[in-house]
Amino acid sequence: MAFSFLPTIIVDSVTDLTPEFLKNRGIELLMLDFDNTIVPYTTNVPTPEMEQWLKCMAGSSVKICVVSNSKNDRVMKFCDHYQIDCITRAKKPFPKGIRECLAKYKIPCERCALAGDQIFTDTMGARGCGVQAILVKAINNHNIWLKLRHVAELPFIFIARNRRILK
């Protein structure tokens, strides 16, 4: 598959990804990163807007599955509470977790997307597996390492915004 740091789509928040938006792009399965995409690293309590989005997605034909590198059981507890499938220890940007998700749903990769806040894990992993890469703004870059990572991603975000129409 293609190696790329460039996301296919860039949005401010995962809540911008409505079922209609996804269906119009042929997406039947939306894989989601967890930390800083659905909730901040420091909590597993979603905002009311995120909670409403999760309910909306549950009622749509677009399937969702959390694909997280986390080893922390808070991801599984969150997913159990909201009745969302999840794959932890995904090892993104390596294909392990993404391929596991694709095999579970048996949906062709070109009909799938992965939304996450990191280019060097989520975008690279998605593009490497042939699924659409959706970059969302991190909910909270609460430490210096997350801030530095974001600075390193800025050139790729700039190129992606200028190469295609996003959102």
Side-chain angles (χ1 to χ4, degrees):
M1 294 293 160
F3 173 82
S4 179
F5 291 112
L6 302 180
T8 313
I9 299 166
I10 299 174
V11 294
D12 286 336
S13 170
V14 75
T15 59
D16 294 332
L17 301 171
T18 64
E20 297 78 23
F21 179 90
L22 296 166
K23 287 181 211 170
N24 287 341
R25 284 155 180 76
I27 298 169
E28 297 174 19
L29 170 63
L30 178 62
M31 293 174 259
L32 297 162
D33 179 46
F34 186 72
D35 288 314
N36 250 356
T37 299
I38 297 175
V39 294
Y41 281 100
T42 54
T43 184
N44 62 347
V45 178
T47 63
E49 182 182 37
M50 180 61 70
E51 201 162 27
Q52 184 61 39
W53 181 83
L54 290 168
K55 289 177 186 172
C56 175
M57 292 304 294
S60 81
S61 63
V62 178
K63 309 264 188 269
I64 62 172
C65 180
V66 170
V67 178
S68 174
N69 285 352
S70 180
K71 301 170 183 112
N72 192 319
D73 66 346
R74 76 184 187 70
V75 177
M76 291 180 280
K77 287 178 183 176
F78 178 95
C79 291
D80 284 344
H81 179 77
Y82 289 97
Q83 299 176 333
I84 302 168
D85 286 337
C86 84
I87 294 166
T88 57
R89 302 174 188 250
K91 301 187 187 289
K92 296 174 293 182
F94 300 104
K96 177 197 170 290
I98 298 167
R99 286 192 181 149
E100 186 178 331
C101 187
L102 291 170
K104 179 176 186 167
Y105 284 92
K106 296 178 176 49
I107 296 174
C109 57
E110 59 273 2
R111 312 269 311 152
C112 301
L114 175 92
D117 68 301
Q118 295 187 48
I119 285 180
F120 302 121
T121 56
D122 304 312
T123 297
M124 280 182 60
R127 296 296 301 266
C129 288
V131 304
Q132 296 182 54
I134 302 173
L135 182 67
V136 302
K137 285 185 183 172
I139 293 171
N140 182 13
N141 285 328
H142 67 281
N143 66 38
I144 189 66
W145 303 113
L146 294 174
K147 289 174 184 165
L148 288 173
R149 185 212 71 221
H150 177 71
V151 169
E153 292 174 343
L154 287 174
F156 303 108
I157 294 168
F158 178 79
I159 293 167
R161 285 188 194 274
N162 289 312
R163 288 183 77 191
R164 55 176 74 83
I165 299 171
L166 304 168
K167 185 150 188 296

